[in-house]
Amino acid sequence: MSLRIPFFGLLGNRSPMEGLVEHYDKIAECIAAIDDSLECYVSGGMCREFEELTKAVDEIENHADSIKRNIRNHLPKGLFMAVEKHLFLSYTKSQDNILDAAQDALHWLAMRPVLIPEEIQKGMIYLLDSVAKCTVLLGPALKSTIALTNGESLDREGTKECYRKVRRERDEVRRQKNDLQKKIYQMDIDFKDIYQLIHFVDCLDNMGHNTENCAELLRSMIAR
C-alpha cells in the first residue's frame, strides 16, 4: 500500500524538491571537473586545460546558484510542507556549500603553480576519490528522503542506511585529510607551497563536511 502525503502540491507543476535534485546534479559535474583538473595539475602544474576547467567549475557553480535562488524565490507563503521549512532552507544552503567548497578548492590550486611532490600525489587523488564517493552517496539519500516524504516509499530503515553510508564515508575523508596534512607539513618544501596545498586539502574536506551536514538535515526531515 502506498501512502501519499502532499508535500509541495500547492506549488503547481513543479516541486521545490525536484529543484534540489537538479541542484545536486551540479555537484557531480563539479567533482568530474576537479578530478580532471587535479590530474592535469599533478602532471605538470598549471596548464591551459586547468584554466579552462577552473572556468567550467565557476560556470557550474553559477548555474547551481541560479537553481538555488529559483527554489527559494518560488516557495509560496503559507505553503503546507511535510518537513519543517527551516530544515528545507538549511539543506539548500548546505548543499550549495558543497559547490562553494569545490570552487574554492580549484581557486587555491590556481593561485600559483605548485609542483606537487610525488610522495603526496596519490594521497591527494585518493582523498578526492573519497570526497567524490561521499557526495555520490548523498544522491540516493536525497532521493530516498523525497520518496519517503512524498509517500511514494515506506522504507524508512533503508533511507536511514543511506545517511549512515554518507557518514561512514565522511569519516574516511576526515582520516585521509588528517594523514595527508601531516605528510604535507613534514615535507621539506617552500612554506608557500605548504600553505597552498593545505588550503586545497581543507576545501576538499569541507566538501565532505557539508555533505555530512546534508545527510544530517535529511535525517531530521524524517525524524518522528
Side-chain angles (χ1 to χ4, degrees):
M1 183 179 73
S2 174
L3 176 62
R4 181 175 292 277
I5 302 172
F7 189 32
F8 292 103
L10 295 180
L11 270 180
N13 295 328
R14 183 178 171 81
S15 160
M17 293 301 275
E18 293 174 18
L20 283 185
V21 175
E22 184 183 356
H23 183 270
Y24 166 80
D25 288 342
K26 295 298 167 190
I27 295 174
E29 290 183 38
C30 261
I31 287 285
I34 292 178
D35 193 38
D36 290 343
S37 300
L38 185 57
E39 183 179 338
C40 170
Y41 201 95
V42 167
S43 65
M46 294 178 68
C47 52
R48 189 174 65 85
E49 291 81 359
F50 177 81
E51 294 176 0
E52 291 173 354
L53 289 164
T54 302
K55 290 177 182 176
V57 168
D58 288 342
E59 290 173 1
I60 293 168
E61 205 282 330
N62 288 337
H63 188 187
D65 275 345
S66 67
I67 295 172
K68 181 188 71 175
R69 285 193 298 272
N70 187 55
I71 294 170
R72 293 187 168 215
N73 292 339
H74 291 84
L75 283 179
K77 293 180 180 178
L79 174 70
F80 170 78
M81 298 178 72
V83 299
E84 294 183 26
K85 193 171 184 177
H86 82 275
L87 288 176
F88 177 82
L89 294 175
S90 295
Y91 181 87
T92 62
K93 179 174 175 55
S94 287
Q95 190 166 275
D96 197 58
N97 285 344
I98 300 172
L99 290 163
D100 288 343
Q103 189 178 31
D104 289 343
L106 278 196
H107 283 187
W108 270 104
L109 274 191
M111 291 266 184
R112 52 189 274 279
V114 174
L115 184 61
I116 299 179
E118 189 175 345
E119 304 94 292
I120 62 169
Q121 289 179 4
K122 284 185 178 178
M124 295 184 77
I125 291 170
Y126 290 159
L127 175 62
L128 180 56
D129 284 345
S130 190
V131 170
K133 186 177 180 182
C134 192
T135 58
V136 164
L137 289 171
L138 180 62
L142 173 60
K143 292 170 183 174
S144 185
T145 302
I146 294 172
L148 197 63
T149 55
N150 276 345
E152 296 162 356
S153 166
L154 296 177
D155 188 9
R156 181 176 293 271
E157 187 54 35
T159 304
K160 289 181 178 178
E161 180 57 25
C162 290
Y163 308 150
R164 295 186 194 109
K165 286 180 180 177
V166 173
R167 195 179 306 128
R168 286 195 288 268
E169 193 59 36
R170 162 58 181 153
D171 289 341
E172 177 61 20
V173 169
R174 185 184 291 110
R175 185 193 66 76
Q176 291 191 31
K177 183 266 294 186
N178 290 337
D179 289 347
L180 191 54
Q181 287 193 330
K182 184 177 179 181
K183 286 182 182 177
I184 293 172
Y185 271 123
Q186 291 175 343
M187 302 196 82
D188 186 18
I189 57 177
D190 191 287
F191 179 75
K192 287 191 291 187
D193 293 348
I194 291 177
Y195 191 81
Q196 197 169 342
L197 293 174
I198 287 292
H199 274 279
F200 174 72
V201 170
D202 273 340
C203 290
L204 294 184
D205 182 59
N206 281 339
M207 292 178 70
H209 173 69
N210 283 296
T211 302
E212 183 183 37
N213 282 347
C214 285
E216 288 301 309
L217 287 164
L218 292 175
R219 185 187 59 77
S220 298
M221 288 180 187
I222 68 166
R224 288 176 171 168

